[in-house]
Structures are given as C-alpha cells and as structure tokens.
Amino acid sequence: MFDTRVCDLLNIKYPIIQGGMAWVATAELAAAVSNAGGLGIIGAGSAPPEFVRNEIKKTRNLTDRSFGVNVYFMSPYVDEVINVILEEKVQVITTGAGNPSKYIPQLKQSGTKVIPVVSSVALARRLEKSGADALIAEGMECGGHIGELTTMAMVPQIVDAVKIPVIAAGGIADARGFVAALALGAEGVQMGTRFVCAKECTANKNFKEAIVKAKDRSTVITGKTTGHPVRVLKNKLTNRFEEMEERCVSIDELDELGSGKLRLAVIEGDVDNGSVMAGQISGLIKDIKPAAEIIKDIIIDAEDLVKRLHNFI
C-alpha cells in the first residue's frame, strides 16, 4: 500500500527513514532500522572521519540492506567525511545545516543518493537544480536544529515546488503522522525522536526516559539569538540559556555554554545539565521498543487508518 518513489530510490520496503542524530544514530540503530525495512542513518555529527568510517563498517556487519550517513555541515570535518562516504561507497547521504551542492556531482557519480534536509521552498528548488535525488522537508516541530516553518505548512508547498520525491519530517511518530504526511504529498517520512526510544538505540536510558516522560509542552527553543535555534526538553541547562539570552550575553558565551552538552545528555545520561534534543512529538511517545516493532506498528496502523478514512468518502 505504501510503495512510493522513495522505496524504489532507496531500495527499501517501507518509506520510513531514521533521523541522523549526532551521538544517537549509531551503527546499532541504523542497522536495526534497515533490517526492519526502513532506511537506517548513521549520524556523523562533528565526529572525525575515522569514527564515521568505523560506524559504516560496523553497520555493514549488522545488515546487508541499504543505509545512509547524515553529514552535518557545521562540522569541521565535512570534506573528510564526504571522502569517507565516497571511499566506502555508502548508498545514501542526507545532509543538514548547510548547502551540499558542490559535493552532489561527485557523490552521484559514485552512486550515492543525495537527500538534503530543507526548511524552505527556495532551498528546495535550489537543491533540486543542483541534482538532489530527493528532499527531506523538516518542520520546526523536530528536535535539534530547527527552521521557522511547521511541517504542515511547509511540506505541501515544497511538494508543489519540486518534482523529486519529498520526505516529511518533524512531529511524526506514529501512523497518524505517517498518513498525514502522505496526504500532504510527501512520499515518505523521517523520524528522529521516535527512534531515540528504540531498544537498539545506544543513547543513555536517562535520555530515553526523559522523552517518555515528556508532555506536550515539554520542549523549548534555545539559541534563538545565535541564529542557530535548537529544540530541546526543558531542564536546568535551558533555564541557564534563557537567563543568559535575556541578559543579551555574547554568542561566544552561549556557544561555550552549549559546548559538549549533547554528549553529556546522550552518553553520560545527565538530562538535567545536558542538551536533551527532542521534538514536540515527545509527548506522544510512551514506550521503548525494538525498531522493527516501531515500523511494523506504524505500517499496520496506517493501513487500518487508510481503510477507515474511506468511510468518509
């Protein structure tokens, strides 16, 4: 029922992509999602190239299915990580926090599918012209770095603006969000926060439990004054950010406050003083279960939902 162009493009069974979250999207999670019929993604973040290469090799030991790497364009290692992806002949690359246009020709020449994350129609059009194979339209409901438009408003506008497949992201965690994204014209979804709460995710249990305990208004946006706003769960760290931004401290001071805080939360489990990047959909997530169950439940429930919707026609 849900065999879209995204499935054909990425050689996957279901049009469900796992977000490439730094420190969170490791080989274990990527392989689990790919083995379940979706597309697992390794999050390169700001990691050095050899770390990324090792994660690619680990993923290949855990799955024989398609997977990808997310490249964060604010990393100091972008060129080196791109070279690793080319050398390892990774099937898919997703990109964020920058324009990957100059890398697209060589990536496509090596057989890698290029799928940038976009947050505006203008960028979507530009990247389609540059040769992107598909686009991830990510609304500001998502966790981590965000844009200004919501998923509901942005996705159909981008779908109308381009001819390549569009994948919706931001605020999607169950069958309802999946079907809604398809109704908006998307041909697949990307989910990040939902897959944090997969059993195979190696994030600290405190990080996962903070998401499970979250409510509808548990997230806030920090770093607005830096030009790089980030959505996270409220905690002591966000209170400090808020206080410092109200005092109009320098961007350098805010950057120093945020440095290393994602690792503090994800790896060390300090969810009071670390950066708990998670989307507004956190309030909907109530359990931790295998990635295969997450995907299976979405597909089964989505099929039932589509059948029920026919009753309104």
Side-chain angles (χ1 to χ4, degrees):
M1 183 179 288
F2 305 116
D3 186 12
T4 71
R5 285 189 295 170
V6 168
C7 295
D8 297 334
L9 176 69
L10 304 179
N11 191 29
I12 56 179
K13 186 174 183 181
Y14 306 118
I16 297 175
I17 297 173
Q18 166 237 315
M21 304 158 284
W23 293 108
V24 174
T26 63
E28 292 84 354
L29 178 58
V33 172
S34 290
N35 283 333
L39 184 78
I41 300 288
I42 297 165
S46 295
E50 285 312 306
F51 174 87
V52 178
R53 192 188 301 275
N54 289 337
E55 288 298 301
I56 292 169
K57 292 182 181 298
K58 282 170 59 179
T59 305
R60 286 199 170 122
N61 287 332
L62 295 169
T63 186
D64 58 0
R65 300 189 180 185
S66 298
F67 66 90
V69 174
N70 175 264
V71 178
Y72 174 58
F73 271 72
M74 292 177 69
S75 164
Y77 302 108
V78 172
D79 288 342
E80 295 95 327
V81 169
I82 293 290
N83 286 336
V84 167
I85 290 169
L86 290 168
E87 291 165 4
E88 295 293 335
K89 298 189 182 300
V90 176
Q91 299 98 319
V92 183
I93 176 176
T94 64
T95 68
N99 188 333
S101 292
K102 74 174 185 177
Y103 300 101
I104 290 178
Q106 61 187 126
L107 286 164
K108 295 191 69 171
Q109 187 174 4
S110 74
T112 299
K113 306 298 183 185
V114 183
I115 309 179
V117 174
V118 298
S119 57
S120 71
V121 169
L123 182 57
R125 285 178 171 150
R126 191 179 314 140
L127 290 172
E128 181 182 39
K129 289 179 181 178
S130 296
D133 294 286
L135 299 167
I136 298 170
E138 186 173 67
M140 68 176 297
E141 298 94 325
C142 70
H145 295 274
I146 64 171
E148 296 180 353
L149 299 177
T150 65
T151 303
M152 178 71 78
M154 180 175 56
V155 169
Q157 293 184 66
I158 290 179
V159 167
D160 288 350
V162 301
K163 295 180 180 178
I164 56 177
V166 175
I167 298 155
I172 301 168
D174 66 3
R176 293 170 293 184
F178 177 75
V179 172
L182 298 182
L184 294 174
E187 297 186 52
V189 300
Q190 176 179 277
M191 300 190 303
T193 308
R194 172 67 271 199
F195 281 123
V196 174
C197 292
K199 282 191 174 179
E200 297 87 352
C201 177
T202 60
N204 190 284
K205 67 177 183 179
N206 294 345
F207 193 92
K208 297 181 181 183
E209 289 173 0
I211 293 173
V212 171
K213 293 176 183 176
K215 302 189 184 308
D216 58 336
R217 294 173 61 86
S218 291
T219 70
V220 293
I221 301 170
T222 61
K224 294 177 184 178
T225 58
T226 68
H228 302 289
V230 175
R231 184 178 299 283
V232 292
L233 295 184
K234 296 177 189 175
N235 61 8
K236 292 179 181 177
L237 177 65
T238 65
N239 291 340
R240 290 173 64 195
F241 260 108
E242 185 177 86
E243 182 270 329
M244 290 175 70
E245 290 195 270
E246 285 179 353
R247 287 194 287 111
C248 298
V249 303
S250 69
I251 291 177
D252 287 343
E253 289 178 88
L254 291 172
D255 286 344
E256 183 179 352
L257 175 61
S259 179
K261 294 304 191 296
L262 179 59
R263 185 187 189 282
L264 182 64
V266 176
I267 304 301
E268 299 181 30
D270 187 345
V271 295
D272 291 323
N273 301 293
S275 180
V276 186
M277 293 187 184
Q280 286 183 316
I281 204 67
S282 296
L284 194 68
I285 298 170
K286 301 301 180 187
D287 55 15
I288 298 168
K289 56 188 179 184
E293 285 189 28
I294 291 172
I295 292 176
K296 179 182 176 182
D297 289 348
I298 287 174
I299 296 300
I300 289 175
D301 291 348
E303 289 174 346
D304 289 342
L305 178 56
V306 170
K307 291 173 184 176
R308 292 204 306 274
L309 289 172
H310 278 295
N311 294 330
F312 297 107
I313 300 175

